[in-house]
Amino acid sequence: MTMKLKGFLVLLAVLNLLVLCYYIVHFPTSNENFLHRAPLARREVFPGSNPARGKNDKRRSSSFDGKLWPDLPSYMPWRSDVKAKASSCEAYFGNGFNKIYDPLDNSPNRKNIDINLSGSSFKCYYSETLETSICEGRRMAMFPERIEMSRGGEDVEAVLGREEEAELPKYSDGAFQIEAPPNYVIGDGRVVSGELLDQIMPQGAVHTHTMRSLLQTLRVVPSSEFVCNQWIEEPTLLLTRFEYANLFHTYTDWYSAYVTSRVAGLPKRPHLIFVDGHCK
């Protein structure tokens, strides 16, 4: 029995050594994690300067020190897998958002291909499996007064019987604005056309599709009109919760937030804004 135990321990030590060697060879050390290898554009949320900023504009300090993702193989950057089949596990629980739409750069309103010194951009990553998109915008302004919903944060006893639809956001035109790139002809101001909207964010069986409504009302404005009172220059995630008191839906909301952060290539865990009027 003693010899068998010694043999088992030796075998276990050899296996651990092999795993350690494999990890050292194939994966980076803590001094060379993915943050250092990530493209610069992924780390700069609002690169460049804004000529429309006035002296009264307020900007958050860049001292935001969000937590880094753990330096483990499973937390390395998600690279879209173009070979992932729509019904595969990789497409469901990996990065199946492998079709990229760039309405600003690919728009016929963009007359010349110039370097976008303003740093503004808007991209959507579409998943054929989930039939939805994760969208990422830079140099965007939010106008809360153009978003209608209940106030939120009340005691639950004070809002008993209130319908959930009253707590979900209803967006007016221009609730979110993005600065126009150079040589971009504004036109009707829409960033996402009706045809493109059906491609990247189908209505499906969703009765109240808040993300679709947000994209419908997103507007592009010239630099001279693009003014914001307070700037947040770190990655910020907008999250609308559905049936937030339901534990299952709470888990799915947090998982969706995690997936969005990874697909967008955020090097740190982002700020989070709840865009809903739920009570406490």
Side-chain angles (χ1 to χ4, degrees):
M1 180 66 68
T2 303
M3 292 298 295
K4 289 184 177 180
L5 179 59
K6 288 183 178 179
F8 174 76
L9 292 177
V10 170
L11 179 61
L12 184 61
V14 171
L15 288 176
N16 286 334
L17 182 61
L18 290 175
V19 171
L20 179 61
C21 291
Y22 178 84
Y23 181 85
I24 292 174
V25 171
H26 290 83
F27 300 106
T29 64
S30 58
N31 293 326
E32 189 188 1
N33 60 33
F34 74 88
L35 177 60
H36 297 95
R37 303 197 315 274
L40 182 62
R42 283 294 193 192
R43 285 180 272 161
E44 294 184 354
V45 181
F46 294 109
S49 60
N50 178 16
R53 284 178 179 161
K55 60 182 180 180
N56 295 325
D57 288 345
K58 299 177 182 178
R59 299 178 63 185
R60 284 183 60 102
S61 169
S62 59
S63 60
F64 172 66
D65 188 21
K67 292 183 179 179
L68 291 172
W69 304 108
D71 190 14
L72 298 172
S74 58
Y75 286 91
M76 290 297 102
W78 285 18
R79 296 178 176 84
S80 60
D81 186 358
V82 295
K83 297 181 180 179
K85 296 182 179 179
S87 58
S88 66
C89 185
E90 289 78 11
Y92 272 104
F93 298 104
N95 191 350
F97 294 86
N98 50 25
K99 194 168 185 178
I100 302 176
Y101 291 87
D102 193 338
L104 290 182
D105 277 350
N106 297 333
S107 170
N109 292 342
R110 188 75 179 273
K111 295 302 181 183
N112 297 307
I113 302 177
D114 288 345
I115 297 176
N116 186 356
L117 296 178
S118 69
S120 60
S121 66
F122 188 79
K123 295 181 180 180
C124 290
Y125 306 86
Y126 179 73
S127 168
E128 182 183 356
T129 304
L130 303 177
E131 296 184 346
T132 191
S133 295
I134 289 173
C135 296
E136 174 188 19
R138 302 186 181 194
R139 295 194 63 76
M140 291 183 64
M142 175 182 180
F143 296 89
E145 66 274 13
R146 300 176 186 176
I147 304 174
E148 180 185 352
M149 59 187 176
S150 56
R151 179 179 179 180
E154 310 94 341
D155 292 330
V156 65
E157 294 81 6
V159 296
L160 290 176
R162 183 169 68 186
E163 296 292 334
E164 186 183 33
E165 286 192 359
E167 301 177 341
L168 298 179
K170 297 180 179 62
Y171 300 102
S172 300
D173 286 347
F176 287 86
Q177 294 181 357
I178 188 167
E179 183 181 18
N183 298 315
Y184 187 92
V185 179
I186 302 299
D188 63 2
R190 290 190 300 170
V191 176
V192 180
S193 65
E195 181 181 357
L196 179 59
L197 182 64
D198 289 335
Q199 293 179 25
I200 64 176
M201 198 69 63
Q203 179 71 42
V206 181
H207 177 63
T208 304
H209 204 313
T210 56
M211 184 63 184
R212 185 178 167 92
S213 175
L214 189 157
L215 294 179
Q216 283 177 319
T217 56
L218 177 63
R219 296 293 181 263
V220 58
V221 298
S223 296
S224 59
E225 300 177 14
F226 186 71
V227 180
C228 189
N229 293 326
Q230 181 180 5
W231 288 90
I232 300 177
E233 302 207 5
E234 301 89 21
T236 303
L237 190 64
L238 303 179
L239 177 63
T240 298
R241 297 166 293 175
F242 289 81
E243 299 188 24
Y244 76 108
N246 182 302
L247 182 60
F248 171 78
H249 286 281
T250 299
Y251 275 120
T252 57
D253 283 340
W254 285 116
Y255 177 72
S256 297
Y258 168 77
V259 170
T260 300
S261 300
R262 303 314 309 280
V263 170
L266 302 185
K268 296 183 179 182
R269 303 178 193 187
H271 292 291
L272 189 63
I273 296 178
F274 292 128
V275 188
D276 58 56
H278 293 310
C279 63
K280 292 180 181 178

